[in-house]
Amino acid sequence: MLTTELKKHADAISSVVISPDGKYMASGGKDTIIRLWKIENDQFTPLRELTGHTDAINTLAFSADNKYLASGSKDNTIIVWGIETGEMLNTVKNYTQPILAVAFSPDGKYMASSSWDNAVKLWSCETGECVKTLLGHTDWVRTITFSRDSKYLVSGSSDKTIKLWSPEKGECIKTLSAHTQAVLCVCFSPDGKYIASGSMDNTVKIWSAEKLIILNNLQGHTQPVSGLTFLPDGKHLISGSEDMSIRCWSTDKGKCIKILNYGNKISALAALPDGKHVASGSADGMLQIWTIETGSFIRSLPGHSNWVKSLVFSPDGKIIASGSHDNMIKLWSAEKNAFMKNIEGHADSVMSVSFSKDGKSLVSGADDKSVRVWNTETGECIKILRGHTESVQCACFSNDGKLIASASGDKTVKIWSVEKWECIKTLPDHAQPVGAVAFSPDGQYLASAGNDNNIILWNADNFAFSKALKGHVGWIKTLAWSPDSKFLASGGNDMTARLWSIPLSKCQQIYKGHSRWVLAVAFSTDGKIIATAGADNMIKIWKPTSDQCLKTIISDKDNHQDGIETSMMPKSTWDTSYMKKKINAVKALAFSPDGYLASGGEDNMLKLWSLAELLT
């Protein structure tokens, strides 16, 4: 059963580790970001993101005292981080090739590391100096681990061998040769009696740490074994493989007693100290938490798992809310570029999200025909407003926060009293489903638009019909007011966006250039820029008073996965997809007060762009 959702990695995960005290989990991979979670009462709370590496993170390790985290990267560096502060405490730049493995000795004396140079280096945790170099492997050293008493170090290599070392003497005690391909992972049992190894030859081998002989050859995986971890009792060994399965083995009997199947390659494993759960990372960027006894998949740590339909910045620009076809609302920190919390309750796709002017409340509309009001700080649902008989396509607060307007597929616009939590007016003048509704910033008008190709302006004081704006020759999907309320922008399936002069009641400008439906329009907070987005996977930047396009951003599948659109680099990218699939439409836009543009769409991604960089 899935009980918690958090942000996922944007690419394959290479390492997942649990701190010795079981209070923290860290993950890292190709997206260069380390994600740190606090574990408490079986809950995984995002603590912080650690950024500093410039290429893929290959390996992670916690120190025995739970105070430090070491990371090794393809950028040829090792970084040591403070867990409590997230600060970068030390950077090892002695390498000229990618780091493949790091490990702390349990006694706190050494940090070990390995690279493409075929060597294992031991670093003093006290001075940060390299004190020993262990030579003997003839190919990359892919994995290293210390015994619990710190007397031994085990390494596994692409040369198909495992070596047992004395860290104090800096000598190789024994070379173990049994695998027929590269050794990808090794680990000691908690009591130090066993060494386990996993290989590209698809096998797991259990060795006697005392006699240094094979006790069991575990066969069953059909692809390389990429992760190994003993459970705390030492009686069970967990293996993960590129064959998309996790296997639980009896250490004594050498038999597989449980198989856990997942939908993508398993790339990393870590056991929780409770002995009941295992964390795994996979090639799709997902983190999973499993219950070993039942084999059930109980937690996943992604972002949105379906199209992002709506985006909005809080009035102070610090928070982004996103609504999705996965029925979820998510809050993101625009300052920290990080996921904050999930807001759950809707039973169908969330079509619209909007903040109150004070930022304390959020209103949402969904395909479940309901309007919901949420406490932004706690994520709790304050009220559910029911009355529409079809999907609620859009909902928003009035400028004074006293009213909510909602637009629906039932061809109506409803006005709700926030004080009484009841519908006080139904506006039935549209002949087709209504897809967009917006209050003017000056509080004078409410605008609505839909599939009848018309925009209707209502007097906001009594909601009497004021005027109709006609010109679109197809459904109108989106509306946005200029900050001064003098203009209204609209976009529709006639592939145009239009700028309407409210005082003149006429179309002032037609923006052409999209090759498919225009699904989103937005004004910058100073009113000097309009952004449009559509089903053609384009975001276009315009001057309001000119039909000249200042910038066009075109995205394709590969660029989205890399967080790059044409030659432009977004400030941040949150990859929120379960599957990497080519779906193109950009369906949501929002400007922040400090000059950033957020976009979201059918590729399940939320992106944050610097407007200044876009226009230079």
Side-chain angles (χ1 to χ4, degrees), residues 60-281:
L60 296 169
F62 280 102
S63 62
D65 60 6
N66 310 289
K67 293 181 179 180
Y68 308 106
L69 178 72
S71 57
S73 170
K74 196 176 177 180
D75 65 9
N76 308 342
T77 69
I78 300 168
I79 298 177
V80 179
W81 312 82
I83 299 302
E84 288 297 324
T85 64
E87 292 182 6
M88 195 184 302
L89 302 178
N90 190 28
T91 302
V92 177
K93 298 181 179 180
N94 302 54
Y95 282 98
T96 59
Q97 293 175 308
I99 311 301
L100 297 178
V102 291
F104 283 99
S105 62
D107 63 8
K109 190 173 182 179
Y110 298 117
M111 181 184 74
S113 62
S114 65
S115 175
W116 289 4
D117 60 7
N118 308 347
V120 177
K121 291 184 181 293
L122 296 181
W123 307 82
S124 168
C125 289
E126 184 177 353
T127 66
E129 299 295 323
C130 180
V131 293
K132 291 184 178 70
T133 299
L134 310 181
L135 301 174
H137 283 294
T138 58
D139 208 333
W140 300 354
V141 180
R142 291 178 172 268
T143 177
I144 50 179
T145 189
F146 283 92
S147 60
R148 181 159 292 191
D149 60 9
S150 301
K151 291 182 179 179
Y152 304 103
L153 175 72
V154 169
S155 58
S157 170
S158 291
D159 66 10
K160 309 174 190 177
T161 70
I162 300 160
K163 289 184 180 289
L164 183 70
W165 308 83
S166 166
E168 285 301 315
K169 296 179 181 179
E171 297 176 353
C172 179
I173 299 171
K174 183 76 173 182
T175 299
L176 309 176
S177 302
H179 286 291
T180 58
Q181 292 192 47
V183 179
L184 302 179
C185 44
V186 292
C187 62
F188 274 99
S189 62
D191 59 10
K193 292 182 179 180
Y194 305 108
I195 298 170
S197 58
S199 168
M200 287 186 72
D201 63 13
N202 308 343
T203 70
V204 177
K205 300 184 188 298
I206 299 178
W207 309 75
S208 166
E210 181 183 0
K211 299 179 180 180
L212 299 176
I213 59 173
I214 292 180
L215 299 177
N216 285 302
N217 184 36
L218 311 180
Q219 296 180 316
H221 285 298
T222 58
Q223 292 292 326
V225 179
S226 50
L228 284 175
T229 183
F230 278 97
L231 294 186
D233 62 7
K235 297 178 180 180
H236 299 92
L237 177 68
I238 309 298
S239 60
S241 169
E242 293 183 13
D243 65 10
M244 307 185 193
S245 76
I246 296 171
R247 290 175 178 253
C248 180
W249 309 84
S250 167
T251 306
D252 294 332
K253 298 178 181 178
K255 293 183 178 180
C256 180
I257 58 177
K258 192 169 292 293
I259 301 175
L260 314 177
N261 292 306
Y262 184 62
N264 216 303
K265 296 178 181 179
I266 303 298
S267 51
L269 279 179
L272 274 69
D274 62 8
K276 299 177 181 179
H277 302 103
V278 169
S280 62

Side-chain angles (χ1 to χ4, degrees), residues 500-513:
W500 305 86
S501 167
I502 301 307
L504 299 177
S505 300
K506 71 175 187 179
C507 181
Q508 190 90 355
Q509 199 68 248
I510 300 176
Y511 306 109
K512 297 179 180 180

